[in-house]
Amino acid sequence: MTILKSPKTASTLAANDPRWAQVVARDRSADGQFWYSVATTGIYCRPSCPSRAANPRNVQLHNTLEAAKATGFRPCKRCNPDGLSVDAENAALVAKACRLIENSEEEPGLTDLASAVERSPSHFHRLFKATTGLTPKDYANAHRGNTNPGGSHDKQ
């Protein structure tokens, strides 16, 4: 376990590192580029972690996931630094729903799609539209040839 000897030195390192601003801003674009660990909680996180901001004197920044794991701390349960990012996980859920729509004989309902990806119907609808630019119904219609899939709803 790597622990900096002086809290003042750690504070200077984290607070003056440009990556610290990304942690404070919860910048999702920084996920996968570096990780940070917090000595007082004993966890390591992604830069976009929604947890309360740590005191920079208790923080170490790591260039690799392996370096964060080497601290001996546990992974954060909120941001799951060892798994897929929130954006990647959401994209996988939407892709799964798209395959369900494409492979079904009849158009599945919103409730059925949401249940298949283990989300509430309203949350799933917002997630699907934010990811694809289409509602699930519009996507199903486009897939069945009822509308132009490259039409005004597409976010390319």
Side-chain angles (χ1 to χ4, degrees):
M1 180 157 97
T2 306
I3 297 179
L4 296 173
K5 295 183 181 1
S6 166
K8 190 171 188 175
T9 305
S11 174
T12 303
L13 291 176
N16 293 333
D17 191 311
R19 298 177 296 178
W20 179 245
Q22 292 177 300
V23 172
V24 172
R26 296 182 178 145
D27 184 358
R28 285 187 178 179
S29 69
D31 286 355
Q33 296 177 13
F34 70 94
W35 290 259
Y36 71 97
S37 59
V38 183
T40 52
T41 60
I43 62 170
Y44 60 92
C45 299
R46 301 173 185 275
S48 66
C49 186
S51 64
R52 186 173 11 148
N55 186 330
R57 87 180 100 165
N58 299 321
V59 172
Q60 289 182 357
L61 300 169
H62 309 281
N63 292 326
T64 65
L65 180 58
E66 291 72 28
K69 287 180 179 182
T71 61
F73 297 161
R74 69 170 178 79
C76 175
K77 292 181 181 179
R78 283 187 170 182
C79 67
N80 187 22
D82 294 340
L84 292 175
S85 70
V86 173
D87 290 339
E89 186 177 313
N90 288 342
L93 293 175
V94 170
K96 179 179 178 182
C98 289
R99 299 303 81 79
L100 289 171
I101 291 169
E102 294 163 5
N103 296 326
S104 64
E105 292 293 321
E106 293 183 20
E107 182 180 321
L110 179 63
T111 304
D112 295 330
L113 289 170
S115 179
V117 297
E118 299 176 355
R119 298 294 184 266
S120 71
S122 59
H123 177 74
F124 171 71
H125 191 271
R126 286 190 308 273
L127 175 66
F128 193 96
K129 187 163 184 180
T131 303
T132 65
L134 299 167
T135 65
K137 184 170 187 72
D138 289 343
Y139 183 87
N141 288 338
H143 178 70
R144 295 197 180 359
N146 295 335
T147 63
N148 178 7
S152 63
H153 294 290
D154 200 28
K155 278 187 168 177
Q156 291 185 9

